[in-house]
Amino acid sequence: MDSERSKKGRLIPLKTTLEVEARDRVIDVYIASIPLRQASNALNTVRRLIPNDGGLDLQHLRRFSKPSHVPLHVQATIASVKSPASGTENAESEAGELLLVVGSVESISKETIIESLCSVHTPSAIIITQVPLLAPTSQEQATRFSSQYWPTVYKKSNPFGPHPSLISRAEEELAYEAPKWMALAVAVAQETRAAGTGEEIGVVVLRRHDGIATPVAVAGDMRWLNWPRFKTGNPAAHAVLRAIAMVADGLRRRKEDAQLAAATSATGLFRDEPRGELEQCDSVAGDDGYLCHDLEIYCTHEPCVMCAMAIVHSRFGRAVFGRRMPRTGGLCADGELGHGLFWRKELNWTLFAWQWNNENEDSTAQKGDEDLHA
Ligand SMILES: [Zn+2]
């Protein structure tokens, strides 16, 4: 059963806006070919010449590389600048040469490098090549950088988003049951669609205690409930908002007279009463000042911008959605909107977010569905 479940899909952590922006920024640097025995002297010279790498953080780049370890186009550029006249001499010394990242072309001129390095040993070649400006945020990206630009190291950290170890720890907790909760979200979505009260969108909210997750709210979309059938329906009845309202109801019921609660929910804009067979609301939500503090939310679709902000403001800890909504979704940073509303430094709260990629289903909005606000 375990392996069968895990085969059906996987969690893909969302990229933050900073990660998306940083993904392919490159800079031009000088590379010098230095005899192996002069390597440390040359590096010391370069460090004196360009203190702190001119304010750039180049820690992710291998400072020295064997010529055979750099991409072929870099090898070819080096070969092209070596003088053919001194071919024999070069062939002899090549085995004993290292390539050194000197620094950004912005920070120094080629003449200054030659002048300074000549005091150590005249470099057999100096070229300009592109390197990634920012550290890779995954091993895959480091491998790609290494084959495309220059040998690059992944340090298992992420300056542009949540730390990879926190993400993988959370994934360990989520992965096993993710198919179950996504299936429940899909089922409640189908229920509201069948009832004609909303779009086929569903949400499950979970509370996790000692590693055990229990649903506190299950809600489908109800945008067409008591609402005229034109434009986009009742935005306050999106599945995410209904689920949050159900959690709020749970709190309120504990605090207020039950009669008052019933009266307000009958007349209010929010369709926060559970209606179908599957919908439920368990009033055990947190009472620590923030509505959904560290709760988990599963959505069939990437929530719209409004719902994504509601997720942030309610202080959910984790969000998982099924189908990407590039035109209307608020969570992804690499969609058409690009808001990345789960991890931005200007927001007062950050949460972890994943797409649940189900191998049996299309994971992006389908034709005709792409303008739907989930
Ligand atoms: Zn929404």
Side-chain angles (χ1 to χ4, degrees):
M1 190 65 187
D2 291 23
S3 58
E4 214 175 271
R5 273 185 175 168
S6 60
K7 264 186 220 158
K8 284 184 184 166
R10 64 194 177 102
L11 292 161
I12 303 169
L14 299 194
K15 299 246 177 280
T16 66
T17 47
L18 284 176
E19 280 177 84
V20 170
E21 283 166 20
R23 198 154 45 185
D24 280 309
R25 285 177 66 191
V26 290
I27 48 162
D28 284 330
V29 294
Y30 290 112
I31 303 289
S33 190
I34 305 287
L36 185 57
R37 62 182 185 283
Q38 297 296 342
S40 69
N41 282 343
L43 183 59
N44 289 338
T45 305
V46 162
R47 284 194 167 138
R48 271 197 306 276
L49 209 55
I50 317 170
N52 299 319
D53 289 324
L56 298 174
D57 182 359
L58 302 177
Q59 300 285 318
H60 55 288
L61 302 176
R62 291 221 183 270
R63 199 71 203 223
F64 285 105
S65 174
K66 288 184 179 169
S68 58
H69 288 183
V70 302
L72 290 176
H73 70 90
V74 181
Q75 294 185 27
T77 313
I78 297 217
S80 73
V81 299
K82 283 190 175 173
S83 142
S86 57
T88 337
E89 191 191 321
N90 276 344
E92 279 166 10
S93 62
E94 240 166 42
E97 285 201 338
L98 284 178
L99 301 178
L100 166 67
V101 177
V102 177
S104 152
V105 296
E106 306 285 328
S107 56
I108 197 161
S109 74
K110 191 172 175 179
E111 290 67 37
T112 316
I113 299 172
I114 293 172
E115 206 176 293
S116 310
L117 285 183
C118 278
S119 68
V120 181
H121 185 279
T122 311
S124 64
I126 293 180
I127 61 154
I128 294 172
T129 195
Q130 284 187 329
V131 295
L133 173 62
L134 300 160
T137 55
S138 67
Q139 186 51 55
E140 295 76 53
Q141 197 181 25
T143 306
R144 187 166 63 79
F145 282 169
S146 297
S147 64
Q148 213 171 333
Y149 303 110
W150 184 261
T152 304
V153 193
Y154 171 53
K155 293 188 172 169
K156 290 204 174 70
S157 67
N158 182 359
F160 314 114
H163 195 280
S165 69
L166 297 178
I167 291 285
S168 51
R169 210 175 305 156
E171 284 175 3
E172 275 169 30
E173 274 192 335
L174 294 181
Y176 175 69
E177 286 191 327
K180 178 169 102 181
W181 303 124
M182 282 308 295
L184 181 54
V186 168
V188 74
Q190 288 166 346
E191 190 184 71
T192 72
R193 177 64 170 260
T197 45
E199 298 294 330
E200 199 169 321
I201 298 165
V203 160
V204 175
V205 174
L206 303 172
R207 158 181 294 276
R208 190 174 293 274
H209 191 67
D210 288 337
I212 313 283
T214 41
V216 288
V218 180
D221 181 87
M222 291 276 172
R223 70 186 65 190
W224 304 120
L225 178 67
N226 305 329
W227 200 268
R229 279 254 171 193
F230 69 93
K231 291 196 174 166
T232 52
N234 176 4
H238 283 192
V240 169
L241 293 197
R242 289 190 67 231
I244 294 172
M246 285 180 185
V247 175
D249 263 8
L251 283 177
R252 193 180 60 195
R253 289 226 177 87
R254 277 188 292 161
K255 288 176 179 169
E256 290 179 8
D257 175 56
Q259 238 181 344
L260 176 65
T264 49
S265 63
T267 53
L269 184 65
F270 291 94
R271 311 295 185 223
D272 48 2
E273 283 294 301
R275 291 179 62 91
E277 292 279 308
L278 291 169
E279 291 205 336
Q280 56 168 289
C281 169
D282 191 340
S283 53
V284 296
D287 201 4
D288 47 9
Y290 286 99
L291 208 48
C292 301
H293 193 252
D294 278 340
L295 298 186
E296 297 171 10
I297 187 162
Y298 282 80
C299 319
T300 52
H301 295 61
E302 179 186 356
C304 71
V305 174
M306 172 188 70
C307 289
M309 279 310 290
I311 289 171
V312 171
H313 284 313
S314 313
R315 305 209 161 184
F316 276 90
R318 297 162 176 179
V320 180
F321 66 82
R323 187 166 295 177
R324 281 174 68 109
M325 303 300 291
R327 284 201 201 165
T328 60
L331 288 182
C332 290
D334 52 0
E336 282 180 42
L337 293 180
H339 291 313
L341 294 171
F342 69 100
W343 192 282
R344 290 175 63 130
K345 55 176 185 278
E346 63 270 41
L347 298 175
N348 62 356
W349 180 250
T350 53
L351 64 138
F352 298 165
W354 295 263
Q355 185 195 7
W356 174 253
N357 192 314
N358 188 328
E359 287 161 13
N360 303 319
E361 276 178 23
D362 249 326
S363 52
T364 307
Q366 322 232 298
K367 210 165 167 38
D369 228 11
E370 60 268 71
D371 290 320
L372 181 69
H373 287 70

